[in-house]
Amino acid sequence: MVERREPIAVGDAVQRVMEFAFQEKIEFVPLLQAHGRFLAEEVAADDDVPAFNRSPYDGYAIRAIDSQEANSEDPVTFHVVGEIGAGFLFEKEVGFRQAVRIMTGAPIPKGCDAVVMLELTNSFEENNQMYMSIKRSFQAGTNISYKGEDIQKGEILLNKGQYINPGVVALLATFGYDQVPVFRKTIVGVIATGSELLEPSESLQPGKIRNSNAYMIMAQIERAGATVKYFGKFSDNLNQCIEVVKKALQEVDILITTGGVSVGDYDYLPAIYEAIGANVLFNKVAMRPGSVTTVAQRDGQLLFGLSGNPSACYVGFELFARPIIREAQGSKQPHLRKERAVLGSDFKKANPFTRFVRGKAFYQNGQLVALPSGFDKSSAVSSLVEANALIVLPGGSRGYETGMQVDVLLLEDLQGSEWPWNNIVKSYR
Ligand SMILES: Nc1nc2c(c(=O)[nH]1)N[C@H]1C(S)=C(S)[C@@H](COP(=O)(O)OP(=O)(O)OC[C@H]3O[C@@H](n4cnc5c(N)ncnc54)[C@H](O)[C@@H]3O)O[C@H]1N2
Ligand code: MOO
Ligand SMILES: [Mg+2]
């Protein structure tokens, strides 16, 4: 008798996995390696930015009051008493009708309260002395970049879990983070199972296929922000698979296998879980593809048994493994970002299970449109190429038509969702 599996709803399955979220761990990396990581501590400003009043232009620093009588008929002349480039200080106090030639980024000299752009001045030399004249007056404060105008001391600038993009790198550098506290990357082990599998370097043989899943999953693991440990591909040999799974579990935080989770004679994952004493959280999900996705846990360690079928494997990873990886990186929105889109073509095949159609989501006249990205079978590889979204088509007895509103889960988006599984809206026009 073949075992009967009870399908559970996708949201329930995700919830069962998320109950095993593990403790975040912190490490320090050099600033140069921080891009793409997630910040493990809040960052507050320990100083003002800029830290001193400075000039935003090349020109002359003056006392605004000295310019009040200037007009086009009667220019006012200033004695140029010095010059200051960015990175230097002008030590003396500037007095009546004196000016200092100043460059962008240089600190405003004592006594000065305005900067006149070079283009508005006329400079000349007389008796070995430099002078400049202006034909209009300036208000105090003209062209001053004030201390703290960008960032004020004490401000909270970055939160824990912040993705470190180039702008964040700039801020970290600004505040002297030579070493950056980031969340340690989750280590995810990958094992491919199947006697039919060849590695990409091998020539095809009758009945065999190349192992694409392991490489696809490893790329997905990296996209999710974790580190990969590949244990290789293994034939459908129960004892050998038990051994490699046991070994792998000692070296990783999470273990992902592909293949062998269904009810075939050589689908050994259920027997492997039993042999190692892992509890199965679920082994059937009301979704397509990936209905056979199985997740088990042993001593708090999670084992994801993803389907051998490439599209099913891909979807299973994104729905169930990605969020736990993201959560370990401090994300409060670890799930795929959910948005509403207009279905760009018919999808007439009805199914009782919720479908996750690999699709392309793009903006057209300000409206997000979603189109299936190709051949839509669980076994498909080709439709994954252009997929940047999963189009969510809730199960039912009717198909879906062009123009209907659907939910989409965005695959390449960093923002994520807190919990996309409430209100999965059935489509309507
Ligand atoms: N009688 C039933 N048969 C099947 C059921 C079912 O409920 N009853 N479920 C079907 C569904 S749905 C799926 S999905 C697959 C799941 O199969 P497994 O997870 O057991 O995976 P395998 O049997 O090992 O392989 C399935 C398919 O995928 C190819 N494959 C396997 N590994 C890789 C890899 N690393 N790279 C590329 N392709 C891979 C494999 O050759 C098979 O063609 O079961 C259905 N059957
Ligand atoms: O689990 Mo299968 O991927 O539904 O086709
Ligand atoms: Mg199978």
Coordinates of all heavy atoms in Angstrom, one line a residue, residues 1-9 16 259-274 280-288 290-296 304-308 353:
M1 N 0.8 -1.2 0.0 CA 0.0 0.0 0.0 C 0.9 1.3 0.0 O 1.8 1.4 0.8 CB -0.8 0.0 1.3 CG -2.3 0.2 1.3 SD -3.1 1.2 0.1 CE -3.7 2.6 1.1
V2 N 0.6 2.1 -0.9 CA 1.4 3.4 -1.0 C 0.9 4.3 0.2 O -0.3 4.3 0.4 CB 1.2 4.1 -2.3 CG1 1.9 5.4 -2.4 CG2 1.6 3.2 -3.5
E3 N 1.8 4.9 0.9 CA 1.4 5.8 1.9 C 0.6 7.0 1.4 O 0.8 7.5 0.3 CB 2.6 6.4 2.7 CG 3.3 7.4 1.8 CD 4.3 8.3 2.6 OE1 4.0 8.9 3.6 OE2 5.5 8.3 2.1
R4 N -0.4 7.4 2.1 CA -1.3 8.5 1.7 C -0.7 9.7 2.4 O -0.5 9.7 3.6 CB -2.7 8.3 2.1 CG -3.5 7.6 1.0 CD -5.0 7.7 1.3 NE -5.5 9.1 1.1 CZ -5.8 9.5 -0.1 NH1 -5.7 8.8 -1.2 NH2 -6.2 10.8 -0.2
R5 N -0.5 10.8 1.7 CA 0.0 12.0 2.3 C -1.1 13.0 2.3 O -1.8 13.2 1.4 CB 1.2 12.5 1.5 CG 2.4 11.5 1.5 CD 3.6 12.1 0.8 NE 4.7 11.2 0.8 CZ 5.9 11.4 0.2 NH1 6.1 12.6 -0.3 NH2 6.8 10.5 0.2
E6 N -1.2 13.7 3.5 CA -2.2 14.8 3.6 C -1.6 16.1 3.2 O -0.6 16.6 3.9 CB -2.6 14.9 5.1 CG -3.9 14.3 5.5 CD -5.0 14.4 4.5 OE1 -5.4 15.5 4.1 OE2 -5.4 13.3 4.0
P7 N -2.1 16.7 2.1 CA -1.5 18.0 1.8 C -1.9 19.1 2.8 O -3.0 19.1 3.3 CB -2.1 18.3 0.4 CG -3.3 17.5 0.3 CD -3.1 16.3 1.2
I8 N -1.0 20.0 3.1 CA -1.3 21.1 4.0 C -1.2 22.4 3.2 O -0.5 22.4 2.2 CB -0.5 21.2 5.3 CG1 1.0 21.4 5.0 CG2 -0.6 19.9 6.1 CD1 1.8 21.8 6.2
A9 N -1.8 23.5 3.7 CA -1.8 24.8 2.9 C -0.3 25.3 3.0 O 0.4 25.1 3.9 CB -2.7 25.8 3.6
R16 N 5.3 26.2 9.8 CA 5.9 25.1 10.5 C 7.5 25.2 10.4 O 8.2 24.8 11.3 CB 5.5 23.7 9.9 CG 4.1 23.4 10.4 CD 3.7 21.9 10.0 NE 2.3 21.8 10.1 CZ 1.6 20.6 9.8 NH1 2.3 19.6 9.5 NH2 0.3 20.6 9.9
G259 N 15.5 15.6 -4.9 CA 15.2 14.3 -5.5 C 14.8 13.3 -4.4 O 15.1 13.5 -3.2
G260 N 14.1 12.3 -4.8 CA 13.8 11.1 -3.9 C 12.8 11.4 -2.8 O 12.9 10.7 -1.8
V261 N 11.9 12.4 -3.0 CA 11.0 12.6 -1.9 C 9.6 12.1 -2.2 O 8.7 12.2 -1.4 CB 10.9 14.1 -1.5 CG1 12.0 14.5 -0.6 CG2 10.8 15.0 -2.6
S262 N 9.4 11.6 -3.4 CA 8.0 11.1 -3.8 C 7.8 9.7 -3.3 O 8.5 9.2 -2.4 CB 7.8 11.4 -5.3 OG 6.5 11.1 -5.6
V263 N 7.0 8.9 -4.1 CA 6.6 7.6 -3.6 C 7.3 6.5 -4.5 O 6.8 5.3 -4.4 CB 5.1 7.4 -3.6 CG1 4.5 8.4 -2.5 CG2 4.5 7.7 -5.0
G264 N 8.3 6.9 -5.3 CA 8.9 5.9 -6.2 C 9.7 4.9 -5.4 O 10.1 5.1 -4.2
D265 N 10.0 3.7 -6.0 CA 10.8 2.7 -5.4 C 12.2 3.2 -4.9 O 12.7 2.7 -3.9 CB 11.0 1.5 -6.3 CG 9.8 0.7 -6.5 OD1 8.8 1.0 -5.8 OD2 9.7 -0.2 -7.4
Y266 N 12.7 4.2 -5.6 CA 14.1 4.7 -5.2 C 14.0 6.0 -4.6 O 15.0 6.7 -4.5 CB 15.0 4.6 -6.5 CG 15.0 3.3 -7.1 CD1 14.3 3.1 -8.3 CD2 15.7 2.2 -6.5 CE1 14.2 1.8 -8.9 CE2 15.7 1.0 -7.1 CZ 14.9 0.8 -8.3 OH 14.9 -0.5 -8.8
D267 N 12.8 6.4 -4.2 CA 12.7 7.7 -3.5 C 13.0 7.5 -2.0 O 12.1 7.1 -1.2 CB 11.3 8.3 -3.7 CG 11.1 8.8 -5.1 OD1 12.1 9.1 -5.8 OD2 9.9 8.9 -5.5
Y268 N 14.2 7.6 -1.6 CA 14.7 7.2 -0.3 C 14.6 8.2 0.8 O 15.0 7.9 1.9 CB 16.2 6.7 -0.4 CG 16.3 5.3 -1.1 CD1 17.3 5.1 -2.0 CD2 15.3 4.3 -0.8 CE1 17.4 3.8 -2.5 CE2 15.4 3.1 -1.4 CZ 16.5 2.8 -2.3 OH 16.6 1.6 -2.8
L269 N 14.3 9.5 0.5 CA 14.3 10.5 1.5 C 13.5 10.1 2.8 O 13.9 10.2 3.9 CB 14.0 11.9 1.0 CG 15.2 12.7 0.7 CD1 16.0 13.1 2.0 CD2 16.1 12.1 -0.3
P270 N 12.2 9.6 2.6 CA 11.4 9.2 3.8 C 12.2 8.2 4.6 O 12.2 8.3 5.8 CB 10.1 8.7 3.2 CG 10.0 9.3 1.8 CD 11.4 9.5 1.3
A271 N 12.8 7.3 4.0 CA 13.6 6.2 4.7 C 14.8 6.8 5.4 O 15.2 6.4 6.5 CB 14.0 5.1 3.8
I272 N 15.4 7.8 4.7 CA 16.6 8.4 5.3 C 16.2 9.2 6.6 O 16.8 9.1 7.6 CB 17.3 9.4 4.3 CG1 17.9 8.6 3.2 CG2 18.4 10.2 5.0 CD1 18.3 9.4 2.0
Y273 N 15.1 9.9 6.5 CA 14.6 10.7 7.7 C 14.4 9.7 8.9 O 14.7 10.0 10.0 CB 13.4 11.5 7.4 CG 13.6 12.6 6.4 CD1 12.6 12.9 5.4 CD2 14.8 13.4 6.4 CE1 12.9 13.9 4.5 CE2 15.0 14.4 5.5 CZ 14.0 14.6 4.5 OH 14.2 15.6 3.6
E274 N 13.8 8.6 8.5 CA 13.4 7.6 9.6 C 14.7 7.1 10.2 O 14.9 7.0 11.4 CB 12.6 6.5 9.0 CG 11.8 5.8 10.0 CD 10.9 4.7 9.5 OE1 10.2 5.0 8.5 OE2 11.0 3.6 9.9
V280 N 9.4 14.5 10.5 CA 8.9 15.1 9.3 C 7.8 16.2 9.7 O 6.9 15.9 10.4 CB 8.3 14.1 8.3 CG1 7.6 14.8 7.1 CG2 9.4 13.1 7.8
L281 N 8.1 17.4 9.3 CA 7.1 18.5 9.6 C 6.0 18.5 8.6 O 4.8 18.7 9.0 CB 7.8 19.9 9.5 CG 9.1 20.1 10.3 CD1 9.5 21.6 10.2 CD2 8.8 19.8 11.8
F282 N 6.2 18.1 7.4 CA 5.2 17.9 6.4 C 5.8 17.2 5.2 O 7.1 17.4 5.0 CB 4.5 19.2 5.9 CG 5.4 20.3 5.5 CD1 5.9 20.3 4.2 CD2 5.9 21.3 6.3 CE1 6.8 21.3 3.7 CE2 6.7 22.3 5.9 CZ 7.2 22.3 4.6
N283 N 5.0 16.5 4.4 CA 5.6 15.9 3.2 C 4.7 16.0 2.0 O 4.8 15.4 1.0 CB 5.9 14.4 3.5 CG 4.7 13.6 3.9 OD1 3.6 14.1 3.8 ND2 4.9 12.4 4.3
K284 N 3.7 16.9 2.2 CA 2.8 17.2 1.0 C 2.2 18.6 1.2 O 1.7 18.9 2.3 CB 1.7 16.2 1.0 CG 0.8 16.3 -0.2 CD 1.2 15.3 -1.3 CE 0.4 15.4 -2.5 NZ 0.9 14.6 -3.6
V285 N 2.4 19.4 0.2 CA 1.9 20.8 0.3 C 0.9 21.0 -0.8 O 1.1 20.6 -1.9 CB 3.0 21.8 0.2 CG1 2.5 23.2 0.5 CG2 4.2 21.5 1.2
A286 N -0.2 21.7 -0.5 CA -1.2 22.0 -1.5 C -0.7 23.0 -2.5 O -1.3 24.1 -2.5 CB -2.5 22.4 -0.9
M287 N 0.3 22.7 -3.2 CA 0.9 23.6 -4.2 C 1.4 22.9 -5.4 O 1.6 21.7 -5.4 CB 2.0 24.4 -3.6 CG 3.2 23.5 -3.1 SD 4.4 24.5 -2.2 CE 5.7 24.6 -3.4
R288 N 1.6 23.6 -6.5 CA 2.1 23.1 -7.7 C 3.0 24.1 -8.4 O 2.6 25.2 -8.5 CB 0.8 22.8 -8.6 CG 1.0 22.0 -9.8 CD 0.4 20.6 -9.8 NE 1.0 19.6 -9.1 CZ 0.5 18.4 -8.8 NH1 -0.8 18.2 -9.1 NH2 1.1 17.5 -8.2
G290 N 5.9 21.3 -6.7 CA 6.6 21.2 -5.4 C 5.7 20.6 -4.4 O 5.9 20.7 -3.2
S291 N 4.6 19.9 -4.8 CA 3.7 19.3 -3.8 C 4.3 18.3 -2.9 O 3.9 18.1 -1.8 CB 2.5 18.7 -4.5 OG 2.9 17.7 -5.4
V292 N 5.4 17.7 -3.4 CA 6.1 16.6 -2.6 C 7.1 17.2 -1.7 O 7.8 16.5 -0.9 CB 6.7 15.6 -3.5 CG1 5.7 14.8 -4.3 CG2 7.8 16.2 -4.4
T293 N 7.3 18.5 -1.7 CA 8.3 19.2 -0.8 C 8.2 18.7 0.6 O 7.1 18.7 1.2 CB 8.2 20.7 -0.8 OG1 8.2 21.1 -2.2 CG2 9.3 21.4 0.0
T294 N 9.3 18.2 1.2 CA 9.2 17.6 2.5 C 10.2 18.4 3.4 O 11.3 18.7 2.9 CB 9.6 16.1 2.4 OG1 8.7 15.5 1.6 CG2 9.7 15.5 3.8
V295 N 9.8 18.7 4.6 CA 10.8 19.3 5.5 C 10.8 18.5 6.8 O 9.7 18.1 7.3 CB 10.4 20.8 5.8 CG1 11.4 21.4 6.8 CG2 10.5 21.6 4.5
A296 N 11.9 18.2 7.3 CA 12.1 17.4 8.5 C 13.0 18.2 9.5 O 13.8 19.0 9.0 CB 12.6 16.0 8.2
F304 N 15.7 20.1 4.3 CA 14.7 20.4 3.3 C 14.8 19.3 2.2 O 15.9 19.2 1.5 CB 14.9 21.7 2.6 CG 14.6 22.9 3.5 CD1 15.5 23.3 4.5 CD2 13.4 23.5 3.5 CE1 15.2 24.3 5.4 CE2 13.1 24.6 4.3 CZ 14.0 25.0 5.3
G305 N 13.8 18.5 2.0 CA 13.8 17.5 0.9 C 13.1 18.1 -0.2 O 11.8 18.1 -0.3
L306 N 13.8 18.7 -1.1 CA 13.2 19.4 -2.3 C 13.0 18.4 -3.4 O 13.8 17.4 -3.5 CB 14.0 20.6 -2.8 CG 14.2 21.7 -1.7 CD1 15.0 22.8 -2.3 CD2 12.9 22.2 -1.1
S307 N 12.0 18.6 -4.2 CA 11.7 17.7 -5.3 C 12.9 17.6 -6.3 O 13.7 18.5 -6.4 CB 10.5 18.2 -6.0 OG 10.3 17.6 -7.3
G308 N 12.9 16.5 -7.0 CA 13.9 16.3 -8.0 C 13.5 17.1 -9.3 O 14.4 17.5 -10.0
F353 N -4.8 22.7 -6.4 CA -3.7 23.3 -5.5 C -3.3 24.7 -6.0 O -3.5 25.0 -7.2 CB -2.5 22.4 -5.6 CG -2.6 21.1 -4.9 CD1 -1.6 20.1 -5.0 CD2 -3.7 20.8 -4.0 CE1 -1.6 18.9 -4.3 CE2 -3.7 19.6 -3.3 CZ -2.7 18.7 -3.5

